[in-house]
Amino acid sequence: MDDNTAKLNAELDAKWGDVIKGSGGGWTAVPNFLLKMQSELGLKPLELNVLINLIRFWWIPETAPFPAPEKIAQEIGVSERTIYRTLSSLEENGFIKRLNESGKATQYELHGLVEKLKALKNAV
């Protein structure tokens, strides 16, 4: 572990303690710009919540995440249908792209979100 990683781990531990350790723990890197500009992007609170949950599973840049909508629904506390409608809205508005391959879990490509953030960042 390099010095920067050790420092980051120590800072996270100081802030969150055992909450981010072990089973059910961890943390998710979400750009502050996404949180600050959610209104400018036209994101409803539930859409932002679903995006953050997709980001939570996006570990490798070139590999689209594939969380189960049912799991997201359970964790957020809404119906599966609500999650499916929200995913459809995010796709229609260009934030995500669903990738369906026979016999595999649906993947959610987030390049649309990244491009929207880049365009907005360049405009401000």
Side-chain angles (χ1 to χ4, degrees):
M1 182 181 324
D2 66 19
D3 288 341
N4 288 334
T5 302
K7 182 178 177 187
L8 175 60
N9 286 340
E11 289 171 353
L12 289 170
D13 190 45
K15 288 179 189 175
W16 299 104
D18 289 343
V19 172
I20 62 169
K21 294 179 181 174
S23 178
W27 54 275
T28 301
V30 177
N32 285 336
F33 194 66
L34 171 58
L35 300 175
K36 290 178 182 180
M37 303 306 273
Q38 61 186 293
S39 178
E40 291 287 326
L41 290 163
L43 288 169
K44 297 174 187 164
L46 183 58
E47 291 172 327
L48 179 64
N49 196 337
V50 170
L51 279 174
I52 291 170
N53 273 275
L54 294 177
I55 292 167
R56 177 171 67 122
F57 291 94
W58 191 24
W59 304 309
I60 302 168
E62 56 278 344
T63 303
F66 50 94
E70 300 79 14
K71 179 179 175 99
I72 294 172
Q74 180 184 25
E75 292 175 351
I76 292 177
V78 298
S79 71
E80 291 176 24
R81 185 71 200 126
T82 296
I83 296 301
Y84 283 108
R85 278 195 303 267
T86 303
L87 290 167
S88 291
S89 175
L90 289 169
E91 187 170 37
E92 289 167 11
N93 290 301
F95 290 97
I96 66 170
K97 180 178 179 184
R98 286 186 266 201
L99 306 172
N100 297 304
E101 194 174 320
S102 182
K104 292 188 175 183
T106 300
Q107 293 180 291
Y108 302 92
E109 188 178 83
L110 296 165
H111 298 303
L113 169 62
V114 173
E115 291 306 314
K116 285 179 179 290
L117 287 171
K118 285 179 182 178
L120 191 55
K121 184 80 171 182
N122 290 333
V124 294

